[in-house]
């Protein structure tokens, strides 16, 4: 099988990462690469790490350029994906790595994004209960946000096992690539090296409703989420520290058992041995998720911590994994659980 | 007034930082500098940034060497301070930057440190209610831990104003100098750069009982603390994200007012203008504390975030500030609110 | 004596650094702070580390705003300083931290900057032979570039002692703040963390003629300079590795003696003890220069390495040091040789 | 073909990296993994990024454990490889990633390592003229040092084309993993972050004679090397800035042509388009070498700059590449030219 793939938005971080993975995918042939302001430039000038594609010239993001592919990955700013997708045939698998089609509730979309809601696509987080069945054969996939990926995988086993109260408190640290290549002063190297800082505090981050959307069905009730993202001085990685008060009668053994059960058969999620904690360096460049969980008896809280690479499992790796499922390929093709460390 | 000061443990990070500050203190004359395994070496070989002291040779940590000073700073591993302090006269001001004399409850000490409790000294966090009166004229000072400094200052106004439930959830990121100069594999540059990782999860960190001790009296009831520290890829700085559920009827205005009231007259604590969030880079090398607070209506939580330099306000700066109060000097002598940035 | 000082370009890195130093200067009162596009904003929003000035509002850079000060520091892009300076009276001390007035040879200016040459001002590198006499009483000062500061101090003793051939080879690593706050993709944190890269290779860097200009008079002949700057993943600091072939008969002792003689009485330049090498962390935030020199017998080359903080001694510290000399103040006022480390 | 491979020294950085690559090698089956002090521990506790091998327990480094494999990689401190290799049969391919068998001249060995010389093995830098022929079918391979790899590839085309004088000046920046996992104070994260510093200045670095050994035969005369290594605040990567005076008559076109000719057919060495310069981030985790060269007319020097990943092409990737050649496999198996960036 040869899957012919185009990438719209190939000059950004998500686009570059999906190309990095697709270059190692045995069934994929890389077709058109498009950009907006960078159209006309060779990819090697913008993504010098993608040596095999260095000579490829970026084209404009048009339906003509994107047509004739089996799969089109959209790595576009939110608000642009829907328009592009509408111009692609229904037989094409469209994988949107942006936010346009993630949320189910249009009111959430309006509140957090403030533009007309483009609709909801099958959600590309295969490890959530029931997700693979929806993804199989689908022609449209909404790739989850990087934070919701890390947080949902850290917390859903506790909710699935009915161990936790429906009020989650989350503090997550992200590498700077999560903010993209946007030229903002606070993203300059001089500003971020040596510094930790929060942003979007108090419920304002756009990934919050996506976490609520993922956890509530598992819990069987609405889960409220207090989410504080922080910017960390590293290019990649998310460390999500998630906790919720334990329901009465919870034990450390029950917590451990819930996580072991949830992830026993997952190829990319690794519950670490007791006593070992996740580190973002361990999943650098890989599609793996490292998780550990503890029960704090004094505070009566379950504390689950996950580490992912925000660009891989958090974006492009999750996208390729979902593509594999949608196309009926082996789920792990082109993906690795081996990080680049130290 | 000339205050003659000795530093025991001058080759470590806390010892080096207190020397950095004392060199800029107009009333201080630096006397003996001692070390353990590094005794006999010139300070310049171990602390090359302290140029004016480069030629000073480290002496052994003995009562003879330390005697004859007005103030002795102890920058020693916990468990060693009590023995040294017992050999110093009662007329000497002893400032212990280690943990030995911080905790009031011997049971806490036994549980978290596992050695005989050396006793409790006046606690060097001047911004806590009533603290300055206890420190004035004192001859023994226990400098708080770096995390408790950041966390207590972030949260106590909410508790003082009776706005929050007594269950605090804290996730803090610390630069690596917080772990000292110990030669451990996980502290190697190759391991920490590009990586965020938690440690001491689930209530096990020794700074937890100190936070409970600081917040409970202010709240008027026992405050439980769920504390997760993380190691961040930067040499200095703590960013503490602290939250607690708001009591019914809490408003954003009431929260803001509580923090404005608490810090209106504090020389080192700066409540940032609304919309601006702390960053550890802003307090690099300074004794300042930057704080911001938000009320998340959806999650009904108060979220207070503080940034300090763990070595300055979190250790040596707090020590010098407390020394100034104890000696009746101006509290800000030798200390700055100006960070080194970018 | 109270020196009233204005800073034009207070929102950038050089402007922020000079303010950081001036806040600690005992004879200085900080007057007007100006900016271009950031005029109207409070300084605290742009330079959050300068807590004592957080509420000061940036004004437009006009002659009216800048008038009435004893000293005006210009932290402007090159090409703008001359126009502003022309509007300031001759009785005002103008300290230009930009490039406009550094070069003596207009042909060099044309070649490397491509605009009309604004003229040459007294050069603010006090440690060069004869420099202090020229600076004393001067009303115009051109602050050297950061690289020429590091390189000239590393190499001139070898040339002054007639030990080296007039062909210098220099490779220097700079922290990212050397490139300023410009919003360029290659300066994003995601790009610079974990990466070393060169730029301006092959003689194209604008600081090259300044090095030639500094070293040639000392050598008594034209010194050619091969200069390769590299961008390092750190916010501050320059490490300059400089070498030249030794003249016949050179010995390691003669090299050492030349450097000891050159820097015996310099307050800010520290020739390290033999065997100890400079590190940029040791001079973080300080005005110190750390230098070490070796004679490689096999390659017959003198290798001199210097470390400075590019923003302090390399820009704003050198500016304040030169101001002190010009005004007849003690040269070290407001400046420190103590780095912030680790 | 199934190649059964053992790794001695699997808990260090070189050992971990060769395992990372071998896990992706389609013809390799990973056999015994050994360690010294870490024997008995699961690999997952020491190399948490190697998820597929997390449960493998490290064995002692004995002939019994290492026997029965087709290939044994030695990732041992220098001085230990010879003893282990002597206990392995001549039919086993032994790939030594340490220094023991690199140098041809025993006098060099004595001078730089000070122990009996173990002898010289075929040298695993396939891109050097004639190297592949020697490696093919060989049963013993000495993997080059990381710096000699970067430097030799940057400079040999200039010498092969007889364009440069035989006096090379090299300044290279290395990530901290080049120093291994040794617990030394100067390798602590607190020390290296934010700092650049040189070491082994003046001809003392052990990689210097290896560079001379590689370049001299190509030049047809002894090439002297002035080599200054510096430690950079990043975990991986080497940026080598190499220059030599051009012989009379050299032109920029001739220099460019020499490098184009040298690397036209090399799968892992990429001469960048003119105007684009190497960055270590671009080769992060890959076996690629990025090279650019310039001719500085004013200084009459050829400046060649290379970027490699010190652990991949500089150690383990070079080892696997050489193994492939020795075994008659496709040279690129298990290796990639795609970096992990940003």
């Amino acid at each position: 099988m040869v899957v012919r793939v185009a990438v719209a938005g190939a000059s950004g971080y998500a686009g570059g990462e999906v190309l990095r993975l697709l270059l190692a995918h045995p069934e994929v042939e890389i077709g058109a690469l498009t950009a907006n302001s960078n159209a006309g430039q060779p990819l090697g000038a913008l993504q010098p790490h993608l040596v095999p594609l260095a000579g490829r010239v970026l084209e404009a993001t048009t339906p003509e350029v994107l047509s004739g592919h089996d799969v089109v990955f959209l790595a576009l700013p939110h608000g642009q994906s829907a328009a592009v997708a509408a111009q692609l045939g229904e037989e094409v698998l469209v994988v949107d790595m942006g936010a346009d089609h993630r949320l189910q509730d249009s009111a959430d979309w309006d509140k957090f994004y403030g533009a007309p809601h483009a609709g909801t696509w099958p959600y590309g987080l295969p490890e959530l209960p029931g997700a693979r069945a929806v993804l199989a054969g689908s022609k449209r996939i909404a790739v989850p946000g990087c934070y919701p990926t890390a947080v949902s995988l850290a917390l859903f086993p506790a909710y699935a096992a009915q161990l936790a109260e429906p009020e989650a408190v989350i503090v997550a640290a992200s590498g700077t690539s999560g903010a993209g290549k946007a030229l903002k002063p606070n993203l300059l190297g001089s500003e971020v090296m040596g510094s930790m800082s929060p942003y979007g505090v108090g419920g304002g981050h756009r990934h919050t409703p996506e976490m609520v959307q993922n956890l509530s069905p598992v819990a069987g009730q609405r889960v409220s989420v207090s989410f504080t993202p922080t910017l960390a001085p590293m290019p990649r990685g998310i460390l999500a520290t998630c906790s919720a008060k334990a329901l009465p009668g919870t034990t450390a053994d029950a917590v451990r058992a819930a996580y072991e059960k949830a992830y026993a058969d997952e190829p990319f999620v690794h519950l670490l041995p007791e006593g070992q904690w996740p580190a973002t360096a361990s999943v650098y460049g890989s599609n793996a998720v490292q998780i550990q969980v503890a029960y704090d008896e004094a505070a009566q809280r379950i504390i689950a911590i996950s580490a992912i690479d925000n660009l891989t499992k958090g974006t492009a790796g999750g996208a390729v994994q979902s593509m594999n499922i949608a196309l009926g390929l082996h789920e792990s093709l082109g993906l690795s659980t081996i990080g680049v460390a130290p």
Side-chain angles (χ1 to χ4, degrees), chain A residues 53-198:
Chain A
L53 299 173
R56 295 283 295 272
V57 175
L58 293 169
E59 301 179 82
T61 307
T62 66
E64 292 71 31
V65 170
L66 294 175
S67 72
H69 297 85
D70 303 306
V71 182
V72 176
F73 285 90
L74 303 179
L76 303 171
H78 72 81
Q80 298 187 8
S81 301
V84 173
Q87 299 172 308
L88 301 171
E90 296 191 353
E91 77 290 356
V92 179
L93 171 55
V94 183
V95 184
D96 183 4
M97 298 192 283
D100 287 17
H101 306 93
R102 292 172 187 159
L103 294 181
Q104 294 165 1
D105 185 337
S106 292
D108 279 344
W109 179 266
D110 292 347
K111 179 177 172 194
F112 284 88
Y113 293 88
H117 189 210
T120 310
W121 288 359
Y123 190 75
L125 190 53
E127 293 84 359
L128 284 186
R132 284 187 178 89
V134 177
L135 291 168
S138 169
K139 289 297 184 186
R140 292 293 185 270
I141 296 171
V143 179
C146 50
Y147 286 122
T149 295
V151 167
S152 303
L153 296 177
L155 276 181
F156 99 76
Y159 285 114
Q162 303 295 329
L163 294 172
E165 289 192 2
E167 299 186 349
V169 177
I170 295 147
V171 180
S174 173
T176 52
S177 62
K181 262 190 190 173
L183 294 178
K184 299 178 184 170
N186 68 314
L187 298 178
L188 286 174
S190 301
E191 302 290 322
V192 298
M193 288 186 283
S195 198
M196 293 281 308
S197 58

Side-chain angles (χ1 to χ4, degrees), chain A residues 159 163-169 216 219 221-225 244-245 247:
Chain A
Y159 285 114
L163 294 172
E165 289 192 2
E167 299 186 349
V169 177
S216 298
Q221 60 181 315
R222 182 174 179 87
V223 176
S224 84
V225 166
K245 196 154 189 189
L247 291 172

